[in-house]
Amino acid sequence: MKSFLHVSDIGPLATALEEARQVKATPLAWRHLGEGKTVVLVFFNNSLRTRLSSQKAAYNLGLQPIVLNVGADSWKLETELGVVMDGDRSEHLREAVPVIGSYCDLIGVRSFAGLNDRDFDYAETILRQFIDWSGRPVISLESATVHPCQAFADLITIDEYWTRKTGLRLGSGRRPKVVLSWAPHPRALPQAVPNSFAEWMNAAPVDLVITHPEGYELDPQFVQGARVEYDQMKAFEGADFVYAKNWSCPGVSCPQAYGQVLNYDRSWTVDERQMAVTDGAYFLHCLPVRRNVVVSDAVLDSPKSIVIPEAANRVVSAQTVMKRILEDIKNQ
Ligand code: CP
């Protein structure tokens, strides 16, 4: 695996899921793989889960992690090409990225969408510079448009709880109904989590329904053939899993509104009213979550909420991806 951005980068999902199960069962079985190797984890933005789970995954593989908080630990980095650097950014990615690459064997990068320029964000301009100039495999730790480590952990969690509910493995019987629901939020958030969740669920043996107010249509490359339902209650009917997430306007149906908050309709807050029409659905959210804005206390604190095991599976997804990359390095 050269880089990890999309579900296609991990190959057949059934194989990846089986590998994730093995990693979870015996996390220290591949400690030899990372011996003498280093991963640099570059953070342009805040993180709790991604930072800790990536470090834990590295430790489990015998890999040494180095965390760089851009702007706090390092110089402020310029990310745009062709600019006159007479502002507060002292170093360009053009030099910083190959230098980082010279100190490690693989790199993880967190760089959120700026939500000002759709073309800049959807070209993954920052992550691409790491891929092009580092000479190392690069993992998106949530970049402008995707959060694959989160989506892989979401899939691992759905697989586990589907087996708990039905006794079946994903892909071996009826397909679960999975609903991705937009939820209100006071601030403009990126689309990376819903984009990747949709992409991964479309590749998995599940029936995906995406529900949101008009204007929040996700990019077609991620929606693919999923059903889009503007009536949230209708979308929730008979659901096995509900995944709530806010996202700002993706600029698909309204390019001039890219990155804006179009709607703060609190009737979209996931609460017991919507969950009552599901088939006893499990509730997922990537976290961090704003209580009683995105989801009610009652749902988040209910036995059907699986947000903590979902977050715990971030170690499993990160470790499975790093393991694959280390195996590739070893076989080169
Ligand atoms: N879900 C997630 O990526 O959490 P952090 O932003 O805390 O890393």
Side-chain angles (χ1 to χ4, degrees), residues 114-134:
L115 298 179
N116 296 313
D117 179 341
R118 188 178 199 280
D119 291 341
F120 182 91
D121 289 344
Y122 271 72
E124 286 286 2
T125 308
I126 295 175
L127 195 75
R128 287 284 163 206
Q129 293 180 70
F130 279 87
I131 292 169
D132 291 346
W133 298 331
S134 69

Side-chain angles (χ1 to χ4, degrees), residues 43 46-53 110 112 141-142 147 150 193 243 285-288 314:
F43 285 86
N46 296 340
S47 167
L48 188 154
R49 281 143 290 275
T50 306
R51 180 188 302 264
L52 297 181
S53 63
R110 163 156 290 197
F112 287 169
L141 299 177
E142 186 172 347
H147 196 355
Q150 179 66 53
V193 168
Y243 195 100
H285 187 283
C286 63
L287 305 181
R314 290 292 306 277

Side-chain angles (χ1 to χ4, degrees), residues 130-205:
F130 279 87
I131 292 169
D132 291 346
W133 298 331
S134 69
R136 302 293 177 209
V138 174
I139 301 171
S140 166
L141 299 177
E142 186 172 347
S143 47
T145 63
V146 290
H147 196 355
C149 293
Q150 179 66 53
F152 189 16
D154 298 334
L155 179 64
I156 292 165
T157 311
I158 287 173
D159 174 55
E160 288 174 354
Y161 281 83
W162 184 240
T163 301
R164 196 174 286 205
K165 178 173 180 173
T166 64
L168 299 169
R169 285 265 165 94
L170 266 188
S172 64
R174 137 171 127 78
R175 295 159 69 95
K177 178 176 177 180
V178 177
V179 176
L180 168 62
S181 178
W182 179 90
H185 196 282
R187 291 183 52 229
L189 299 186
Q191 297 110 42
V193 168
N195 283 346
S196 281
F197 187 75
E199 181 187 54
W200 283 68
M201 290 304 120
N202 277 318

Side-chain angles (χ1 to χ4, degrees), residues 253-317:
S253 57
C254 45
Q256 70 288 355
Y258 173 66
Q260 293 179 15
V261 176
L262 302 176
N263 188 328
Y264 188 55
D265 182 352
R266 296 282 295 280
S267 73
W268 281 75
T269 300
V270 176
D271 64 19
E272 289 163 305
R273 180 177 61 92
Q274 293 103 321
M275 296 302 281
V277 302
T278 69
D279 185 12
Y282 290 108
F283 177 83
L284 296 103
H285 187 283
C286 63
L287 305 181
V289 69
R290 291 194 183 223
R291 283 173 171 262
N292 303 309
V293 176
V294 170
V295 56
S296 68
D297 282 342
V299 172
L300 200 52
D301 295 333
S302 79
K304 289 292 184 175
S305 171
I306 53 174
V307 298
I308 304 303
E310 178 188 5
N313 278 332
R314 290 292 306 277
V315 176
V316 183
S317 64

